[in-house]
Amino acid sequence: MTSSVFFDQLALHFDKQLPFVAYKKPNQLEVKAMLQDSNQLHFTTNFEDSGFVFSPFKNEDNTVLFPLNKSQTISCLHDSTTVDSKKQLSSTINLSAKAKHIKLVEQAIVEIENGRFKKVVISRVETETFPEDNTLLLFKKLLATYKTAMVYCWYHPKVGLWLGATPETLLKVEGNRFLTMSLAGTQQYKNTVDVQWQSKEQEEQQLVTDFIVGSLESSLSSINLGTTETIKAGNLLHLQTKISGLLKPKNGLQSVIAKLHPTPAVCGLPKENAKQFILKNEGYNREYYTGFLGEINIKQAKTRNTNRRNVENNAYGSVKTISHLFVNLRCLQIKDNQALIYVGGGITKDSIPENEWEETVAKSKTVKNLL
Ligand SMILES: C=C(O[C@@H]1C=C(C(=O)O)C=C[C@H]1O)C(=O)O
């Protein structure tokens, strides 16, 4: 379908206050949407359903599901000519927010020195006026701006309205092939990805890699670590290591999600101590920020080879079951005509509180520049 028909259908569904998710995966041109047929709230408990999940930071809370068999699926090719985007932000600093964030980072460093945890991710929420009617326009701007991100707009009248452009895969499962990534360490992009990283960032990211490898050792029959690379996400750079392997039999989606989420990229290490610190001290509810979202158990026909001489072989192309989940970062919630922008960063023993504040300011620009 054309992009304009696609967005008309989304707008109609949104007007009727019916649940939907529209999304474009990293480096793809296809924008897909699942339009749920009623405003019923479905959950998945075992991750064996087929559909799109939206899961909160608190792993004990319910994961919302848009079931594939209760939704209409539509798609279009992304039309990048549709919007002009970036505005320059005036740099007014909210001094009390800054003081509060710095105090919490200092408190986290004290806990690290006391040995309670090695790393904790401290976050905050910023509020901007935003008319809800501009939601789909904002989604189009995110699509046009962040080609390498998972860009989404998610709505359920009983849960909320969220948008984001996240660089982080929680996991991808294709048949028994498994892929995840360790993503941490942040610096601002200044026209090159050829940059030096301080030992603070390298160690912080290594903690995440080690945790992922350790957590998955019993679930994967072989683990391959890619090289650690610098990747660009909007105006930021991160360190990324891809981790892949083959899932052993009886290791379902639910068990690997339970092992990974929330990873030290968004929570901390050890996981439980860091999580308790976050819940007790951050002073607000993260809700779906640093949760995860994406397709689960979607059947996709795989043609083996696109070479024309192999046309006959294509008839035997298999059907694969694919799940692709992303960590909900660089996101915002729209509520009462306000945009709530969620941002955080990993704190370790070497963190400098002022720099940690600056990092959250830089992260907030990913979505704030487009409001
Ligand atoms: C927590 C966020 O990002 C995470 C934290 C990072 C860091 O501490 O350097 C980098 C990428 C993400 O894993 C966020 O964007 O809010």
Side-chain angles (χ1 to χ4, degrees), residues 119 121 123 167-168 183-186 200-201 204 238 265-266 289-290 329-330 342-347 356 359 363:
K119 174 179 176 178
V121 175
S123 72
E168 187 165 343
L183 188 88
T186 304
K200 185 254 170 190
E201 276 81 28
E204 179 186 346
H238 301 299
V266 296
Y289 161 65
T290 60
L329 300 173
R330 318 297 143 80
Y342 298 84
V343 279
I347 310 305
E356 297 298 339
E359 182 175 320
K363 283 176 174 164

Side-chain angles (χ1 to χ4, degrees), residues 50-273:
S50 193
F52 194 103
V53 291
F54 200 61
S55 193
F57 167 66
K58 279 198 250 166
N59 42 358
E60 58 276 21
D61 288 353
N62 283 329
T63 292
V64 182
L65 171 77
F66 291 165
L68 194 62
N69 62 5
K70 291 191 166 62
S71 309
Q72 185 196 352
T73 311
I74 57 172
S75 70
C76 72
L77 287 183
H78 175 237
D79 171 7
S80 56
T81 56
T82 43
V83 273
D84 70 310
S85 26
K86 286 201 179 173
K87 67 172 182 190
Q88 277 306 310
L89 291 173
S90 62
S91 51
T92 44
I93 303 173
N94 182 335
L95 289 175
S96 78
K98 182 176 175 180
K100 198 168 144 213
H101 191 76
I102 286 181
K103 195 164 163 236
L104 188 51
V105 171
E106 285 167 351
Q107 198 182 331
I109 295 170
V110 170
E111 294 290 356
I112 292 168
E113 283 163 354
N114 289 342
R116 184 149 167 227
F117 38 72
K118 281 188 177 162
K119 174 179 176 178
V120 65
V121 175
I122 298 296
S123 72
R124 61 189 182 86
V125 58
E126 278 189 28
T127 308
E128 291 271 317
T129 306
F130 183 83
E132 194 180 299
D133 287 350
N134 289 355
T135 299
L136 292 183
L137 177 62
L138 174 60
F139 177 52
K140 285 183 185 172
K141 289 184 188 177
L142 289 166
L143 286 173
T145 313
Y146 301 116
K147 310 268 187 256
T148 59
M150 157 70 161
V151 176
Y152 78 90
C153 175
W154 187 98
Y155 171 68
H156 195 299
K158 294 174 182 164
V159 180
L161 173 59
W162 289 73
L163 297 99
T166 173
E168 187 165 343
T169 286
L170 177 68
L171 59 87
K172 184 175 181 185
V173 178
E174 207 173 307
N176 67 343
R177 277 170 45 207
F178 181 91
L179 179 81
T180 184
M181 64 169 66
S182 153
L183 188 88
T186 304
Q187 60 177 283
Q188 298 209 28
Y189 173 69
K190 290 176 183 150
N191 296 316
T192 177
V193 292
D194 192 11
V195 294
Q196 296 292 316
W197 289 93
Q198 304 293 317
S199 56
K200 185 254 170 190
E201 276 81 28
Q202 288 174 355
E203 281 167 22
E204 179 186 346
Q205 197 251 354
Q206 191 64 45
L207 284 179
V208 182
T209 308
D210 293 346
F211 165 85
I212 293 177
V213 171
S215 308
L216 293 175
E217 240 154 18
S218 60
S219 310
L220 300 181
S221 60
S222 64
I223 299 190
N224 301 309
L225 277 184
T227 49
T228 301
E229 294 171 329
T230 299
I231 63 124
K232 180 175 178 291
N235 58 334
L236 300 169
L237 298 175
H238 301 299
L239 281 168
Q240 181 198 67
T241 312
K242 286 191 177 156
I243 300 155
S244 59
L246 294 177
L247 270 180
K248 288 183 189 166
K250 296 198 186 124
N251 278 273
L253 205 49
Q254 186 178 25
S255 78
V256 276
I257 290 171
K259 284 177 180 162
L260 288 178
H261 173 69
T263 72
V266 296
C267 179
L269 200 81
K271 193 193 276 204
E272 231 9 80
N273 285 3

